[in-house]
Amino acid sequence: GRDSFLLTDKRILQIDVQGASGKRIEYFTILWPTVKAFSIESAGNVLDRDAELRIFTNLPDTPRDSPGAGAPRRARTRINIDFRKGRADIYAIQRFFADKVLGTDTVDPSASAVSMAGQVDSGSGNPFSWMGDDSRMVDAEAMDRQYKVNPPILQHCEKVEMAFKGRRDLVLMTSKRLLFVDIKGAFGLGKKVEFTSLPWTTVTAFGVKSAGSFMDKDSECLIWTDFDDIWYPPTEGEDSPPPPPIPRRSFIELDFQKDKVDLMAVHRYLSERCLRVEGGHK
């Protein structure tokens, strides 16, 4: 394509060549402090060969922008950049973003983390939890070893402190971020994997909710972030009421298997990580 972007030590610079003649060019700068979160998605099979970088920002919209059905509330919250398979090292790009957004310093370990080190994952053991995609605690140290090498997602100065596994996806709570590992494709057999990183500095509120009665057997963790990722789905017809907006990464809800997650340990860990960040010390 005609467009390009540059990653410098101070900014992200997008160069947008416009018009049939290409004489009109827009140079758009995003400062690193504006980047609130980021994700990469690896390339898939022959039908989906592009890798993708997604940048989440807190940029406000211009006055002429107005959301409508089938559109996000803020047009520049998500900035997507596609890469041709084999033409870019998507994991090197992820590591560069991690260094710029998370920093390269070493963070003090958490005293509240429950790592489940050495524990063998026996699966959900419950068909209802499996169907509901409820997560269970797994060995965080094993996840730390894996995602420092294959694939190399984590920083060398970063450590996985708590880890949760659902039917096929993972949620990793590290010393620097909340990391979602989303395996795409039918039955989790696809080659595309999305890694979404939310620095602890983006978390503005959190809560946990214990399990209820027999019909409500999962516990929950609720997380709110400081960027507006709300999306308005399209209406089904002219006479249909508009569907409710979808918060996407502005609000995250994690379902836990009641008997395989220490919910209050999760709450203590989030308190330590988020209040520590808010307090401005490591």
Side-chain angles (χ1 to χ4, degrees), residues 131-150:
M131 288 187 292
D133 201 19
D134 297 339
S135 294
R136 59 193 180 276
M137 296 176 71
V138 294
D139 188 339
E141 292 190 6
M143 295 296 103
D144 185 78
R145 291 191 296 270
Q146 176 179 343
Y147 287 104
K148 279 195 167 98
V149 179
N150 184 29

Side-chain angles (χ1 to χ4, degrees), residues 128-236:
F128 296 104
S129 295
W130 186 87
M131 288 187 292
D133 201 19
D134 297 339
S135 294
R136 59 193 180 276
M137 296 176 71
V138 294
D139 188 339
E141 292 190 6
M143 295 296 103
D144 185 78
R145 291 191 296 270
Q146 176 179 343
Y147 287 104
K148 279 195 167 98
V149 179
N150 184 29
I153 296 296
L154 300 173
Q155 297 177 292
H156 293 298
C157 57
E158 178 183 17
K159 183 174 179 60
V160 178
E161 297 182 310
M162 297 187 73
F164 308 87
K165 182 176 177 59
R167 190 164 52 236
R168 59 183 183 180
D169 300 333
L170 290 165
V171 178
L172 306 180
M173 295 182 178
T174 85
S175 53
K176 293 192 170 187
R177 57 180 150 176
L178 186 61
L179 178 62
F180 298 90
V181 183
D182 182 9
I183 301 173
K184 309 285 187 177
F187 307 107
L189 299 177
K191 292 184 178 180
K192 290 185 79 70
V193 182
E194 183 179 16
F195 300 89
T196 302
S197 296
L198 297 176
W200 291 119
T201 51
T202 67
V203 178
T204 57
F206 61 88
V208 296
K209 188 184 297 185
S210 60
S213 62
F214 176 77
M215 298 300 294
D216 183 16
K217 300 195 68 172
D218 58 344
S219 55
E220 299 170 53
C221 176
L222 314 173
I223 296 174
W224 288 261
T225 63
D226 66 352
F227 56 93
D228 189 346
D229 196 30
I230 293 173
W231 184 69
Y232 293 94
T235 56
E236 296 181 358

